[in-house]
């Protein structure tokens, strides 16, 4: 149980285009989902927290107009990187909290490698 | 602010030897602590957590962790390391009560030498 998927697993796009990454909880309802960014050999940096049906809460320094997050249902959240630039190249990981169990741990997706050329 | 620290960058251990990955925490109130493991180009996998109760917590893949309040530590341990345990290990602490946001340590690369 507690499986989180991400799609795509990797994507290459040209500078100036937009890319959408999907995060799905497959066997539980995720009242809260989180989006992280990870640079090589570094820790995870929390970008934003999203609750189903409401606007995402962004961490300080994260541009909300650049990183659009939508959490339209209890099993799906999307991250759209708008007008991507090479500096946006990174490993993006989502996680979800199982609202049904009330557990405190987060379950992570496998990550999406974004390369902007 | 709630935070965790992982003082070592890399832990090298021979296969079959005990493995310890260190984590110390700084929180106000009771800490909710977690360990995750990450394999190359993958997301994080949950290993174990401490919320309350016994100080020794048992988790997945033979790992356990000991919560030590006096030393503010939550070290991850495995009695006998396997080559397949080579990965990046993250300690984390809950930093908000409403949505259970986590703060992660910098991570420790564990290398198990055959």
């Amino acid at each position: 149980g507690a499986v989180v998927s991400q799609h795509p697993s990797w994507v290459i796009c040209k500078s100036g285009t937009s890319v959408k990454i999907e995060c799905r909880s497959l066997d539980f309802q995720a009242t809260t989902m989180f989006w992280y960014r990870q640079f090589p050999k570094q820790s995870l940096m929390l970008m934003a927290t999203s609750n189903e049906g409401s606007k995402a809460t962004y961490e300080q320094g994260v541009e909300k107009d650049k990183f659009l997050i939508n959490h339209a249902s209890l099993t799906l959240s999307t991250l759209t990187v708008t007008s991507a630039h090479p500096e946006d190249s990174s490993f993006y990981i989502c996680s979800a909290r199982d609202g049904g169990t009330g557990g405190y741990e987060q379950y992570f997706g496998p990550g999406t490698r974004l390369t902007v050329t | 602010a709630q935070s965790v620290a992982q003082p070592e960058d890399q832990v090298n251990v021979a296969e079959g030897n005990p493995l310890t990955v260190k984590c110390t925490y700084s929180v106000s109130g009771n800490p909710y602590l977690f360990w995750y493991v990450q394999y190359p180009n993958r997301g994080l996998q949950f290993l174990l957590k401490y919320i309350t109760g016994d100080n020794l917590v048992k988790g997945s893949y033979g790992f356990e962790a000991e919560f030590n309040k006096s030393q503010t530590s939550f070290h991850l341990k495995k009695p006998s390391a396997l080559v397949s345990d080579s990965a990046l290990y993250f300690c984390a602490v809950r930093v908000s009560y409403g949505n259970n946001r986590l703060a992660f340590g910098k991570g420790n690369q564990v290398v198990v030498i055959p």
Side-chain angles (χ1 to χ4, degrees):
Chain A
V3 178
V4 176
S5 70
Q6 269 183 254
H7 178 79
S9 56
W10 60 270
V11 57
I12 301 172
C13 70
K14 292 186 176 181
S15 187
T17 61
S18 296
V19 174
K20 179 184 283 188
I21 302 170
E22 292 186 349
C23 177
R24 293 180 184 273
S25 57
L26 299 185
D27 51 3
F28 65 98
Q29 293 186 330
T31 51
T32 306
M33 286 185 166
F34 304 86
W35 286 95
Y36 296 86
R37 186 172 177 177
Q38 186 181 31
F39 292 101
K41 299 189 177 183
Q42 293 190 25
S43 189
L44 281 72
M45 181 191 79
L46 180 63
M47 298 174 66
T49 303
S50 71
N51 292 297
E52 185 264 338
S54 58
K55 289 184 178 180
T57 301
Y58 290 82
E59 296 298 304
Q60 192 173 7
V62 178
E63 299 176 60
K64 62 180 181 180
D65 294 330
K66 181 169 187 60
F67 298 99
L68 300 178
I69 292 171
N70 183 279
H71 192 163
S73 76
L74 286 172
T75 60
L76 174 64
S77 176
T78 60
L79 167 68
T80 301
V81 183
T82 63
S83 186
H85 290 283
E87 58 264 30
D88 298 324
S89 298
S90 190
F91 193 52
Y92 293 87
I93 308 175
C94 72
S95 71
R97 179 172 167 255
D98 186 342
T101 65
Y104 301 102
E105 59 270 31
Q106 294 177 21
Y107 297 98
F108 285 80
T112 297
R113 173 77 58 192
L114 170 63
T115 302
V116 184
T117 60
Chain B
Q2 323 275 59
S3 65
V4 289
Q6 296 180 247
E8 301 161 316
D9 289 327
Q10 181 163 311
V11 175
N12 296 326
V13 62
E15 186 177 22
N17 281 5
L19 169 62
T20 298
V21 189
K22 296 180 180 178
C23 174
T24 59
Y25 65 88
S26 175
V27 303
S28 55
N30 296 321
Y32 286 27
L33 298 161
F34 306 82
W35 275 102
Y36 287 86
V37 61
Q38 184 181 32
Y39 295 96
N41 296 310
R42 301 299 303 274
L44 276 66
Q45 295 180 29
F46 170 72
L47 284 177
L48 50 80
K49 65 183 177 185
Y50 174 82
I51 305 298
T52 186
D54 289 341
N55 290 341
L56 185 63
V57 179
K58 293 189 182 297
S60 305
Y61 312 121
F63 284 94
E64 59 187 30
E66 185 170 8
F67 173 68
N68 188 315
K69 189 173 184 177
S70 62
Q71 297 185 5
T72 63
S73 68
F74 188 56
H75 300 334
L76 180 70
K77 300 179 181 182
K78 186 171 184 178
S80 177
L82 302 172
V83 172
S84 57
D85 293 328
S86 298
L88 194 55
Y89 290 80
F90 290 97
C91 181
V93 64
R94 187 178 76 163
V95 297
S96 66
Y97 294 97
N99 54 28
N100 291 285
R101 286 165 58 234
L102 299 179
F104 287 84
K106 67 178 182 179
N108 282 131
Q109 182 67 50
V110 169
V111 177
V112 182
I113 303 164

